[in-house]
Amino acid sequence: MTNPKLEVLTPQNSQIIFIDHQPQMAFGVQSIDRQVLKNNTVALAKAAKIFGIPTTITTVETQSFSGHTYPELLDVFPELPLLERTSMNSWDDQKVRDALAANGRKKVIVSGLWTEVCNNTFALCAMAEGGYEIYMVADASGGTSKEAHDYAMQRMIQAGVVPMTWQQVLLEWQRDWAHRETYDAVMNVVREHSGAYGMGVDYAYTMVHKAQPRSSSHETLAPVPAR
């Protein structure tokens, strides 16, 4: 029997869930810089949008505790409903189970807060009770300490979860630079969210290939020696 974990992620075989990317949850994150966390999460969302990946966004106790989901994340998917819960474990909410089942894909990519609670319990239950394969995006998730995040990742990996990073997911979906229909959109995400790699792409486009800068509306004044 073929091991499904040997299959690469494709736009046809995967779906994604964003769990509790809300301010109060982010306030408690100590395993990763919180601005980096938001950057990575939004980049992952943009990647999912490019490739038409079925997407679920779930929230917990929005009004009473956690606050509203990052607006930058919601702006990527303005058409999606938010699946509100009371349980720390998204699997305990029937709406979430129904949404995952309706998407009809067993490979579930997960980005959420916190790694050691909401991500961990969802992953274990979705595998045990739902038969899903879980791909945990480590750098688009966060825990209350580095140890909490790392040991939660280790526990999930021991149980069969596949660890990934957001850019790995993006490039696995792209797979071939000859896929021109998504090339420009992918490179835009890279330029906006991939730090030095993105700056390098901008440099290559403009200085090597002589493309116009992304922001080309500014007049450049020539040097004038001071008298």
Side-chain angles (χ1 to χ4, degrees), residues 208-225:
V208 178
H209 299 291
K210 304 306 179 184
Q212 286 296 312
R214 283 189 288 159
S215 177
S216 57
S217 61
H218 298 277
E219 178 186 5
T220 299
L221 304 179
V224 177

Side-chain angles (χ1 to χ4, degrees), residues 14-225:
S14 50
Q15 61 174 302
I16 190 166
I17 184 169
F18 293 93
I19 299 175
D20 305 349
H21 285 285
Q22 298 164 267
Q24 185 62 48
M25 304 306 297
F27 295 159
V29 169
Q30 298 293 326
S31 62
I32 182 174
D33 179 89
R34 282 163 284 192
Q35 187 60 45
V36 173
L37 171 66
K38 180 188 276 190
N39 173 77
N40 296 348
T41 302
V42 174
L44 181 64
K46 290 179 178 179
K49 186 76 168 185
I50 291 168
F51 291 97
I53 307 301
T55 300
T56 301
I57 301 176
T58 184
T59 56
V60 64
E61 295 290 341
T62 297
Q63 297 295 333
S64 63
F65 180 75
S66 298
H68 296 282
T69 300
Y70 308 150
E72 297 89 347
L73 173 58
L74 297 182
D75 284 347
V76 180
F77 304 108
E79 74 286 359
L80 285 184
L82 302 180
L83 306 187
E84 178 77 0
R85 318 179 322 276
T86 60
S87 170
M88 287 180 279
N89 182 354
S90 295
W91 186 254
D92 290 343
D93 192 282
Q94 190 61 46
K95 298 189 305 299
V96 176
R97 297 190 193 190
D98 291 346
L100 297 175
N103 291 330
R105 302 177 181 191
K106 286 298 185 181
K107 297 183 185 296
V108 181
I109 299 160
V110 179
S111 163
L113 306 177
W114 297 322
T115 316
E116 69 271 26
V117 183
C118 304
N119 292 16
N120 181 79
T121 55
F122 169 79
L124 298 180
C125 292
M127 289 191 298
E129 300 175 26
Y132 289 100
E133 304 162 42
I134 301 297
Y135 295 77
M136 188 64 58
V137 187
D139 62 351
S141 301
T144 55
S145 67
K146 187 176 185 302
E147 291 78 10
H149 175 82
D150 290 348
Y151 284 118
M153 289 296 300
Q154 288 186 35
R155 180 185 181 190
M156 289 187 283
I157 291 166
Q158 290 173 4
V161 169
V162 179
M164 300 193 75
T165 61
W166 79 263
Q167 192 161 261
Q168 180 183 5
V169 175
L170 168 70
L171 298 181
E172 203 157 309
W173 281 333
Q174 175 66 23
R175 185 164 181 164
D176 189 333
W177 295 122
H179 295 158
R180 304 305 298 183
E181 67 278 8
T182 52
Y183 179 91
D184 287 339
V186 166
M187 295 313 291
N188 283 339
V189 171
V190 167
R191 291 194 288 178
E192 292 173 5
H193 294 277
S194 290
Y197 175 36
M199 287 184 268
V201 171
D202 266 331
Y203 182 87
Y205 274 24
T206 57
M207 305 305 291
V208 178
H209 299 291
K210 304 306 179 184
Q212 286 296 312
R214 283 189 288 159
S215 177
S216 57
S217 61
H218 298 277
E219 178 186 5
T220 299
L221 304 179
V224 177

